[in-house]
Amino acid sequence: MQAILYRGHRRKIAPLTFGYHLSTMLDAEASAPDKESLERDITVDCLEESPTTSNDSCRAAIFDGANIAEECRIWRQVDLRLIPLVTVMYLVAFIDKTNIGNAKLQGLTTQLDLTGNRFNILLTVNFIANCIFALPANLLLKKFRPSIWLPGITIVWGIIMTLQGIVKTYPQLLALRICLGLAEAGLSPGILYYLTLWYPRFMLQYRIGLFWGGAAFAGAFSGLLAYGISFMSGTAGLLGWSWIFIIEGLISVVVGVIAYFLFVDYPHAAKFLTAGEKEILIHRQAYDRSFAAENEEFAVQHILDALLDWQVWAACLIEMSITIPIYGISLFLPSIINGFGFGPAISQLLSIPPYVVATTTMVLWAACSDRLKARSPFIVLGLLLCLVGFAVNISDGPLGVKYFGTFLVVTGSYGGFPGVPSWLGNNLVDHCKRGTGIAVQAIAGQIGGIIASNIYRTQDAPRYVIGHIVEIAFVGMGLLVVPFVAFIYARINARRNMSQDQATEKGSRFRPTSETRHRLGDQAPEFRYSL
């Protein structure tokens, strides 16, 4: 047992393998702190030292300024190896999911006779397939390893996307959209779960913001790419929409092949790190959740625990409140702008600036969220921007004002989203339970996609009032649920603090065994929920 004094706050922490714990879970990316301001006394005791843990590694765990600088250097190495790869993978995935909105303006509806609600059905079946396969995909990720599963499904959906470019009938495209949804289902929840295996809780959202920035940038890049590809219309007897699917599908195949050779499964398998650097990352992650021991083994009980946990279902409601605006604006932004009176080519170009602003905002908000160790305020801020943006687009305001409203919606939805999976990932302990919870949350997001696919109907053009009203309703739901969940978390944290203080005053303390910590998970007395 060790005692730690950090900024005047004294706590006792039960070690898992060797001892160090920063009571505020200091982000290693922060600048090295002033030693005098820390005023801490750290006593390290390797009571449960593993055979591979040396005294040197125990001493290295003490975080003076030099050690923090060293850890920061290691995290930069990890960031450079992981984040660009998953970002590019998600960028091409999101382009392939939403480029049908760009293809719609390049002759798709005319050539395949997408009359009535056929276009909405094409969108809907894709999200239904996502819902069906999201949870099994995350469980398969654990079985087949990230380096095989994630690049593999990227190659598969790239091939499916390419085939969409040569279909001749509506039923053919419908079948391929279903296959595309099944192949894509594992990427988003898979990457989210994968990042939780590498990064401590309060270093997570910034990284999710970076890779989710790929989705926002995909909106800008997709519009620009569609504009360029539109000039290929007629080449080889194919219209512009066919070339959009073919070229963007081939790009995904190439990305998947490259990812197969570059992907790294887990910290202990990282060949680009030395043995000492791996040890630092492994113990940093372990001690980030040291108050509730994590079980890496698969167990049906952990799946049931996630399915019966109230916070998973509350997170699903929050997910829907922000993914419906994301998918609604991503799939229909070119059509909405086209309804302002602009031609197809100009509409593609005008869809780019909102995503550029959203990408910048998303990264800034994610960095601030990790630094402040707060999730809910940024989710609420994003929802408020969406509320104002949709309200502006319902009004009879000038076109310039309505176009500004699209900036608010895109920025709010994309900027607020990274906090949603980060929040749930922070508050679920145990690998299998967290993976299941994130997958269930992703399914809720796909249900949001189903709703978003059917609220912007052709007959409601050009103002799409019904679609905007439905969006406002779900945003309003989020604005109610997010503060409520934060309040519940705060109450639980306060009660646990009070119980711990009372036990300390009485000289008694609950000291769970490793088995008990595995069983309690986030119900452990020392666990504190992120707000």
Side-chain angles (χ1 to χ4, degrees), residues 92 96 151 154-160 162 248-259:
V92 296
D96 290 345
T154 303
I155 294 171
V156 170
W157 90 60
I159 294 172
I160 295 171
T162 303
E248 295 179 357
L250 290 174
I251 292 174
S252 296
V253 173
V254 172
V255 169
V257 172
I258 294 173

Side-chain angles (χ1 to χ4, degrees), residues 37-296:
S37 66
L38 288 177
E39 296 179 352
R40 64 181 177 173
D41 169 56
I42 301 180
T43 303
V44 176
D45 186 7
C46 299
L47 291 178
E48 299 180 37
E49 182 177 348
S50 66
T52 59
T53 305
S54 65
N55 290 331
D56 290 340
S57 66
C58 288
R59 285 193 295 270
I62 302 176
F63 273 73
D64 58 22
N67 291 120
I68 290 180
E70 174 65 11
E71 189 187 356
C72 189
R73 182 191 64 78
I74 297 172
W75 284 120
R76 280 197 296 269
Q77 281 185 265
V78 174
D79 288 341
L80 289 174
R81 185 60 184 266
L82 267 60
I83 301 303
L85 186 59
V86 297
T87 299
V88 172
M89 291 174 69
Y90 198 70
L91 184 148
V92 296
F94 207 80
I95 287 177
D96 290 345
K97 180 183 285 290
T98 60
N99 61 8
I100 192 170
N102 301 106
K104 181 183 179 182
L105 299 183
Q106 298 299 327
L108 174 66
T109 55
T110 303
Q111 187 169 6
L112 296 189
D113 191 29
L114 301 185
T115 56
N117 62 350
R118 283 186 168 187
F119 181 79
N120 300 89
I121 292 174
L122 289 173
L123 303 180
T124 302
V125 296
N126 180 266
F127 287 108
I128 292 176
N130 276 180
C131 291
I132 293 172
F133 201 55
L135 179 54
N138 246 25
L139 298 179
L140 288 171
L141 168 69
K142 185 73 175 176
K143 180 177 179 60
F144 289 109
R145 305 200 321 267
S147 61
I148 295 176
W149 180 250
L150 296 177
I153 61 176
T154 303
I155 294 171
V156 170
W157 90 60
I159 294 172
I160 295 171
M161 173 58 60
T162 303
L163 293 176
Q164 285 187 180
I166 59 175
V167 299
K168 302 300 181 184
T169 65
Y170 167 71
Q172 292 174 349
L173 182 58
L174 183 66
L176 287 175
R177 292 294 296 181
I178 295 174
C179 294
L180 182 69
L182 291 173
E184 288 179 334
L187 189 75
S188 178
I191 291 178
L192 291 172
Y193 170 62
Y194 173 70
L195 292 180
T196 67
L197 303 178
W198 280 85
Y199 293 100
R201 295 199 302 163
F202 294 110
M203 295 177 66
L204 183 61
Q205 183 169 336
Y206 178 64
R207 276 72 186 186
I208 290 179
L210 290 176
F211 106 79
W212 183 248
F217 184 72
F221 185 69
S222 183
L224 183 62
L225 191 58
Y227 174 75
I229 294 175
S230 66
F231 293 103
M232 294 181 63
S233 184
T235 303
L238 300 176
L239 294 182
W241 67 267
S242 291
W243 286 113
I244 288 175
F245 290 149
I246 292 171
I247 292 176
E248 295 179 357
L250 290 174
I251 292 174
S252 296
V253 173
V254 172
V255 169
V257 172
I258 294 173
Y260 177 78
F261 293 100
L262 297 181
F263 223 90
V264 182
D265 287 315
Y266 308 111
H268 63 78
K271 294 182 180 179
F272 65 95
L273 297 174
T274 65
E277 290 170 342
K278 293 177 190 178
E279 190 171 272
I280 289 176
L281 295 192
I282 292 169
H283 288 301
R284 177 75 158 90
Q285 179 75 312
Y287 269 83
D288 181 59
R289 300 174 187 268
S290 60
F291 31 69
E294 292 221 327
N295 193 337
E296 298 185 10

